[in-house]
Amino acid sequence: MVKHQPLQVYEKQVFVSFVTGIYGCRWKRYQRSQDDSSRWECTWFVILCSSFLLLLFWAYFWLVAQNDFNEFNWSVYNRSGEWRDETIPILASTTVGFSYITFLLILALFHISLGQQLNLFWVHKIGVLATLLTTISGVVSVDDIWGDEWDILLVSLQSTAPFLHIGALATVTAFSWLVAGYVVRRERSNFQVLVLLIYVVILLAVYLAPLTFTCPCIMDRHSLRPRPDIIGRRGAPMLAPENTMVSFNRALQQGASSLEADVTISVDGVPFLMRDRTLRRTTDVTKVFPARQFDDATLFNWTEIRSLNAGQWFLESDPYWTVETLTAKERGKIGTQTVCSLVEMLRLASRANSSALLNVRKPPPEHPRSRSWFMDTLWAVQKAGISHKRVRTVTWTPDTDRGRVRGLQQTTTEKLSLEEIRQRGITSLTLHYSKASHRDIQEYLTNNVSVTVYPVNEPWLYSLLWCSGVPSVSSDAPQVLRKVPYPIWLMSQYAYGFIWIASDLVSIAIVIGIFCFQNLL
């Protein structure tokens, strides 16, 4: 008599098949295993986690560096000689890479939670390595081209630290499920004790992290100073070609209280507005004077400079992706712009009852006006008919020429002590935001030294400086900052202390609860 064995019926595990299939190409039940992962696969898990953390840092950097995208493209232009928006491919590749690595990490964590053996598919291993190496090369390249920009990370933490703390707290609390499952539900070993110890140290570090925070917007709202004035840096260069009359008009329309410009002296002594050393980027000099396109802008006379078109490049290159928002009339006006003289800009400022911030570039030594360039600038100020008090600050380069200038308020981009400021006769400072700490700003303002911070293009940075008490900021985007009527966030010390302690206590309760629950399983 034949004895038949009953067929074994397997319960369908659709979710497990999905997780192991995508992560390790193990779609069938017999391909899966609940044995401990090999050291090799554990190593790949560590590489995957490292890639995720690096990409998280990289993505955060580019998120806050949006404030300086124009500066980045300008730095690349000075090296390559070609103007392109280099941030687009960087942002696209970062988004794809971060999404891919995050998805794989989530699948790996599901493997651990479900007790499945890690076995990363070889195609994913190549993808993880390629993403990791690409990110590392990007970090190295940025450090070479734009090394000073790393400072924005510390500046941004003054605004984002309280929110990043809540995110980190939620993450480490959620990880307690995996740690508890590994430590509590298995036989004790030295490695398990080490894992538990590391987790507790990380948890305590996150709990106490707010003790290290310096956030100007954690303050009494009654202590908030007036809204900082906005200075149109080269006008409104995102809406019109920089340093042109239409750009300065747009800046005033967008609420700018002052205008900032870069002043260069022509070979025949006419101060005109130009940021670059050459005329290639912002004019059609390659068509009009092709043999002289790489010459210094100061070596052209005013008649030659005035014959160049200074607006068509903006319409063709669309450097800020804003041309589509312009009307046909606005495009026509931009397309006929010429290089702006200092006199024209100052007359506009005078009519608008605004002040001017001038960054004057000294001509090279061989220039015929190398010894009288400051007199040419003063002549332009007088010819424009604007009050010397309204030419609020003038940056003279080099600093040794300050003694020749009388009647104009003088500033510097150097971070100086109060004693040096008095000795040099400086009335205000124009500082990069990375040099303007909250404590320094308060010290300067207490001693009646005005501070202007540049470049400020994002609402979070504007809000941070507002809380710090900065009286004015220089911006490429006055149209963005005018939409910030109040700091993005403002919280009293008491309110933040309550949120901090309450969130820590909730986290502790959840972690203890998870460990107790895992112990009962």
Side-chain angles (χ1 to χ4, degrees), residues 380-394:
V381 172
Q382 294 171 353
K383 185 177 180 181
I386 187 172
S387 168
H388 285 192
K389 294 181 179 180
R390 297 250 296 277
V391 184
R392 189 171 57 87
T393 53
V394 179

Side-chain angles (χ1 to χ4, degrees), residues 53-101:
L53 293 175
L54 180 61
L55 271 166
L56 184 63
F57 163 81
W58 184 241
Y60 177 78
F61 168 75
W62 284 106
L63 179 65
V64 297
Q66 289 183 67
N67 183 78
D68 301 320
F69 277 1
N70 183 38
E71 300 298 319
F72 175 73
N73 288 327
W74 193 64
S75 298
V76 174
Y77 167 76
N78 286 332
R79 285 178 169 244
S80 66
E82 298 295 330
W83 180 269
R84 296 184 299 270
D85 191 348
E86 299 290 349
T87 63
I88 298 300
I90 294 174
L91 294 177
S93 60
T94 300
T95 301
V96 172
F98 184 71
S99 301
Y100 174 63
I101 295 297

Side-chain angles (χ1 to χ4, degrees), residues 1 57 75 82 104 121 136 143 204 408 418 468 510:
M1 182 176 180
F57 163 81
S75 298
E82 298 295 330
L104 287 180
F121 191 44
I136 292 174
D143 188 63
L204 289 175
L408 296 177
L418 292 172
S468 297
I510 293 174

Side-chain angles (χ1 to χ4, degrees), residues 44-331:
W44 274 106
F45 177 71
V46 172
I47 294 174
L48 180 62
C49 292
S50 301
S51 301
F52 172 77
L53 293 175
L54 180 61
L55 271 166
L56 184 63
F57 163 81
W58 184 241
Y60 177 78
F61 168 75
W62 284 106
L63 179 65
V64 297
Q66 289 183 67
N67 183 78
D68 301 320
F69 277 1
N70 183 38
E71 300 298 319
F72 175 73
N73 288 327
W74 193 64
S75 298
V76 174
Y77 167 76
N78 286 332
R79 285 178 169 244
S80 66
E82 298 295 330
W83 180 269
R84 296 184 299 270
D85 191 348
E86 299 290 349
T87 63
I88 298 300
I90 294 174
L91 294 177
S93 60
T94 300
T95 301
V96 172
F98 184 71
S99 301
Y100 174 63
I101 295 297
T102 302
F103 182 59
L104 287 180
L105 183 59
I106 292 173
L107 292 177
L109 294 176
F110 273 128
H111 271 72
I112 297 173
S113 179
L114 297 169
Q116 293 292 321
Q117 186 183 55
L118 292 171
N119 188 14
L120 186 63
F121 191 44
W122 66 269
V123 173
H124 290 321
K125 291 177 180 177
I126 294 175
V128 170
L129 273 181
T131 305
L132 179 61
L133 293 176
T134 300
T135 307
I136 292 174
S137 64
V139 172
V140 172
S141 299
V142 167
D143 188 63
D144 177 48
I145 298 174
W146 208 26
D148 294 340
E149 188 64 15
W150 298 121
D151 293 336
I152 199 173
L153 293 172
L154 295 177
V155 174
S156 69
L157 288 177
Q158 297 179 45
S159 178
T160 61
F163 307 99
L164 294 178
H165 172 249
I166 298 297
L169 191 61
T171 301
V172 296
T173 302
F175 263 93
S176 66
W177 180 268
L178 298 178
V179 175
Y182 180 74
V183 174
V184 175
R185 298 174 61 186
R186 297 192 180 197
E187 295 181 3
R188 297 291 185 272
S189 67
N190 292 333
F191 185 72
Q192 286 175 301
V193 174
L194 178 63
V195 169
L196 180 60
L197 181 61
I198 292 174
Y199 177 73
V200 171
V201 170
I202 293 174
L203 200 60
L204 289 175
V206 174
Y207 286 161
L208 301 176
L211 292 174
T212 65
F213 294 169
T214 301
C215 302
C217 288
I218 298 178
M219 62 180 296
D220 186 351
R221 63 181 63 251
H222 299 294
S223 302
L224 185 66
R225 289 177 177 266
R227 187 173 185 267
D229 292 332
I230 300 172
I231 301 173
R233 193 167 181 243
R234 306 180 186 97
M238 295 184 181
L239 303 178
E242 63 184 55
N243 282 326
T244 61
M245 287 298 290
V246 67
S247 182
F248 293 121
N249 272 302
R250 291 300 297 271
L252 294 172
Q253 293 168 7
Q254 296 299 326
S257 60
S258 302
L259 301 175
E260 179 181 355
D262 306 290
V263 182
T264 302
I265 311 298
S266 70
V267 74
D268 51 349
V270 178
F272 65 98
L273 310 185
M274 183 61 55
R275 179 188 188 186
D276 299 357
R277 187 188 66 83
T278 70
L279 301 168
R280 292 182 68 243
R281 181 173 67 90
T282 58
T283 71
D284 59 349
V285 68
T286 55
K287 297 178 181 178
V288 182
F289 304 107
R292 302 173 61 192
Q293 59 179 298
F294 295 101
D295 289 357
D296 195 294
T298 61
L299 300 180
F300 289 77
N301 63 47
W302 177 238
T303 302
E304 294 169 334
I305 294 169
R306 195 64 163 180
S307 68
L308 301 175
N309 183 290
Q312 198 61 39
W313 73 273
F314 183 85
L315 300 176
E316 294 174 355
S317 63
D318 195 7
Y320 301 100
W321 307 84
T322 54
V323 171
E324 290 186 358
T325 64
L326 302 175
T327 64
K329 183 178 179 180
E330 289 171 336
R331 294 185 190 185

Side-chain angles (χ1 to χ4, degrees), residues 336-351:
T336 59
Q337 287 297 295
T338 57
V339 177
C340 180
S341 69
L342 176 59
V343 171
E344 290 174 313
M345 187 274 268
L346 292 178
R347 283 175 175 169
L348 174 64
S350 179
R351 290 195 300 270

Side-chain angles (χ1 to χ4, degrees), residues 275-482:
R275 179 188 188 186
D276 299 357
R277 187 188 66 83
T278 70
L279 301 168
R280 292 182 68 243
R281 181 173 67 90
T282 58
T283 71
D284 59 349
V285 68
T286 55
K287 297 178 181 178
V288 182
F289 304 107
R292 302 173 61 192
Q293 59 179 298
F294 295 101
D295 289 357
D296 195 294
T298 61
L299 300 180
F300 289 77
N301 63 47
W302 177 238
T303 302
E304 294 169 334
I305 294 169
R306 195 64 163 180
S307 68
L308 301 175
N309 183 290
Q312 198 61 39
W313 73 273
F314 183 85
L315 300 176
E316 294 174 355
S317 63
D318 195 7
Y320 301 100
W321 307 84
T322 54
V323 171
E324 290 186 358
T325 64
L326 302 175
T327 64
K329 183 178 179 180
E330 289 171 336
R331 294 185 190 185
K333 191 172 184 179
I334 287 174
T336 59
Q337 287 297 295
T338 57
V339 177
C340 180
S341 69
L342 176 59
V343 171
E344 290 174 313
M345 187 274 268
L346 292 178
R347 283 175 175 169
L348 174 64
S350 179
R351 290 195 300 270
N353 197 30
S354 64
S355 56
L357 172 61
L358 309 179
N359 298 289
V360 187
R361 181 168 73 95
K362 183 179 179 179
E366 66 275 11
H367 195 277
R369 315 296 294 189
S370 62
R371 302 181 66 85
S372 59
W373 58 276
F374 54 92
M375 292 302 299
D376 294 329
T377 305
L378 287 175
W379 169 83
V381 172
Q382 294 171 353
K383 185 177 180 181
I386 187 172
S387 168
H388 285 192
K389 294 181 179 180
R390 297 250 296 277
V391 184
R392 189 171 57 87
T393 53
V394 179
T395 302
W396 298 93
T397 308
D399 196 65
T400 53
D401 290 308
R402 291 184 187 278
R404 304 180 183 183
V405 184
R406 295 290 184 270
L408 296 177
Q409 299 183 53
Q410 299 179 54
T411 186
T412 180
T413 56
E414 297 179 81
K415 184 178 179 180
L416 303 175
S417 66
L418 292 172
E419 183 178 351
E420 289 178 304
I421 289 174
R422 296 188 185 99
Q423 289 177 349
R424 299 189 188 186
I426 296 171
T427 56
S428 63
L429 297 177
T430 303
L431 299 178
H432 191 270
Y433 62 78
S434 62
K435 299 179 181 178
S437 68
H438 177 65
R439 185 179 65 181
D440 292 333
I441 291 170
Q442 297 303 313
E443 183 180 3
Y444 287 135
L445 295 178
T446 302
N447 288 273
N448 297 319
V449 178
S450 179
V451 179
T452 297
V453 178
Y454 74 95
V456 181
N457 302 319
E458 291 294 313
W460 69 264
L461 184 56
Y462 183 65
S463 300
L464 178 66
L465 294 170
W466 187 345
C467 295
S468 297
V470 170
S472 61
V473 300
S474 180
S475 175
D476 297 322
Q479 75 280 5
V480 174
L481 301 189
R482 72 175 299 189

